[in-house]
């Protein structure tokens, strides 16, 4: 089945130690997104890629970076995690058809713990 | 600008009774509207979507939603609740003009009473 895969599902990192979260997709979608979701809150968009074009949200901290080396893969790098960065990180994809209803397909998420 | 208001943060129903989760939206353009469900520690799953075709939209697991432009509403319903429906539900709006961003409501936690 075509899907969005996130690895690892659970990640523990130390305060200030860089960490990378991975997302891959077999849907061949143009757009990939990274969201941060804290407990009992809606997902918050960090950034997205439309093909190779990177789009950062205005309030995304500089501590968060992303890479998309090819259509299938996208990475979230947190350069110096703080305790406030502990959250569920969700990757999503969409077709990116202009004028279309571009529903997003979500991966299972990576739960990040910062110690 | 687009926005979504989910009118109830928490809804409790007994198993076998109807479910109603309320959502109002605001959009400057013809919106696309979605309902997503999230079970604990899982990603979001698309339940259904509205895209300016039929105003009554049927989704998975027996859910449906009706788009009412005059009321700017997109309420989610199910005739008979099942224990497996217990989850967080998000109403989401996207504008058709190529904006790739979704605007999420704050979510409604659905609890099913045995």
């Amino acid at each position: 089945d075509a899907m969005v895969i996130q690895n690892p599902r659970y990640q523990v990192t130390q305060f200030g130690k860089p960490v990378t979260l991975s997302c891959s997709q077999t849907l061949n979608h143009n757009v990939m997104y990274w969201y941060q979701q804290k407990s009992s809150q809606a997902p918050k968009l960090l950034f997205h890629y439309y093909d190779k074009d990177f789009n950062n949200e205005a309030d995304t901290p500089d501590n968060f970076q992303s890479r998309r080396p090819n259509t299938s893969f996208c990475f979230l790098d947190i350069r110096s995690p703080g305790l406030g960065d502990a959250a569920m990180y969700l990757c999503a994809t969409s077709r990116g058809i202009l004028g279309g209803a571009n529903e997003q397909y979500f991966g299972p998420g990576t739960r990040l713990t910062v110690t | 600008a687009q926005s979504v208001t989910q009118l109830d943060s928490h809804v409790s129903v007994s198993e076998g009774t109807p479910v109603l989760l309320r959502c109002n939206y605001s959009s400057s353009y013809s919106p696309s509207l979605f309902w997503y469900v999230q079970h604990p520690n899982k990603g979001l799953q698309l339940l259904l979507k509205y895209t300016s075709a039929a105003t009554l939209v049927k989704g998975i697991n027996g859910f449906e939603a009706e788009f009412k432009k005059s009321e700017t509403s997109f309420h989610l319903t199910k005739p008979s609740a099942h224990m497996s429906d217990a989850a967080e539900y998000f109403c989401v709006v996207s504008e058709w003009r190529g904006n790739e961003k979704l605007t999420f409501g704050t979510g409604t936690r659905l609890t099913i009473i045995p």
Side-chain angles (χ1 to χ4, degrees):
Chain A
D1 288 340
M3 57 177 52
V4 181
I5 302 161
Q6 291 188 245
N7 287 304
R9 294 293 312 279
Y10 299 91
Q11 176 74 58
V12 180
T13 191
Q14 293 178 338
F15 183 94
K17 184 174 182 180
V19 65
T20 294
L21 309 183
S22 170
C23 177
S24 64
Q25 55 132 339
T26 60
L27 298 162
N28 203 32
H29 282 173
N30 294 322
V31 192
M32 295 187 76
Y33 309 78
W34 280 105
Y35 290 87
Q36 179 192 65
Q37 187 181 26
K38 297 191 174 180
S39 182
S40 301
Q41 296 183 18
K44 178 181 181 298
L45 182 65
L46 295 174
F47 25 59
H48 74 277
Y49 275 94
Y50 197 118
D51 291 330
K52 294 183 179 180
D53 293 334
F54 177 70
N55 298 272
N56 198 30
E57 293 301 295
D59 58 353
T60 298
D62 293 339
N63 198 28
F64 291 85
Q65 304 286 320
S66 185
R67 296 171 282 135
R68 189 179 185 186
N70 54 53
T71 300
S72 300
F73 285 87
C74 195
F75 300 98
L76 170 62
D77 301 308
I78 308 177
R79 293 193 294 186
S80 182
L83 297 179
D85 297 327
M88 175 77 89
Y89 289 87
L90 296 168
C91 175
T93 73
S94 71
R95 292 182 181 85
I97 301 171
L98 290 179
N102 288 293
E103 65 266 32
Q104 295 184 12
Y105 296 80
F106 285 82
T110 294
R111 170 77 63 189
L112 178 68
T113 300
V114 182
T115 61
Chain B
Q2 56 194 28
S3 67
V4 176
T5 302
Q6 291 186 243
L7 299 166
D8 306 292
S9 60
H10 191 194
V11 170
S12 294
V13 301
S14 297
E15 189 177 18
T17 65
V19 175
L20 170 63
L21 305 184
R22 298 182 296 166
C23 173
N24 288 107
Y25 71 92
S26 173
S27 175
S28 303
Y29 300 86
S30 299
S32 295
L33 292 159
F34 311 90
W35 276 98
Y36 283 87
V37 60
Q38 186 176 32
H39 289 90
N41 291 311
K42 297 290 179 62
L44 280 74
Q45 181 183 17
L46 180 67
L47 276 178
L48 49 81
K49 66 178 181 181
Y50 166 77
T51 59
S52 77
T55 56
L56 183 62
V57 181
K58 294 187 183 299
I60 62 171
N61 300 335
F63 285 94
E64 63 181 39
E66 186 171 8
F67 175 75
K68 292 187 177 180
K69 187 174 181 179
S70 60
E71 299 177 10
T72 61
S73 69
F74 190 58
H75 301 335
L76 182 70
T77 60
K78 182 173 181 177
S80 177
H82 191 273
M83 293 301 295
S84 61
D85 295 328
E88 189 86 17
Y89 290 78
F90 292 98
C91 182
V92 181
V93 64
S94 174
E95 292 178 339
W96 68 271
R97 58 198 172 102
N99 185 335
E100 297 300 337
K101 298 179 185 178
L102 302 181
T103 298
F104 286 80
T106 50
T108 298
R109 180 167 299 277
L110 177 63
T111 299
I112 310 298
I113 303 166

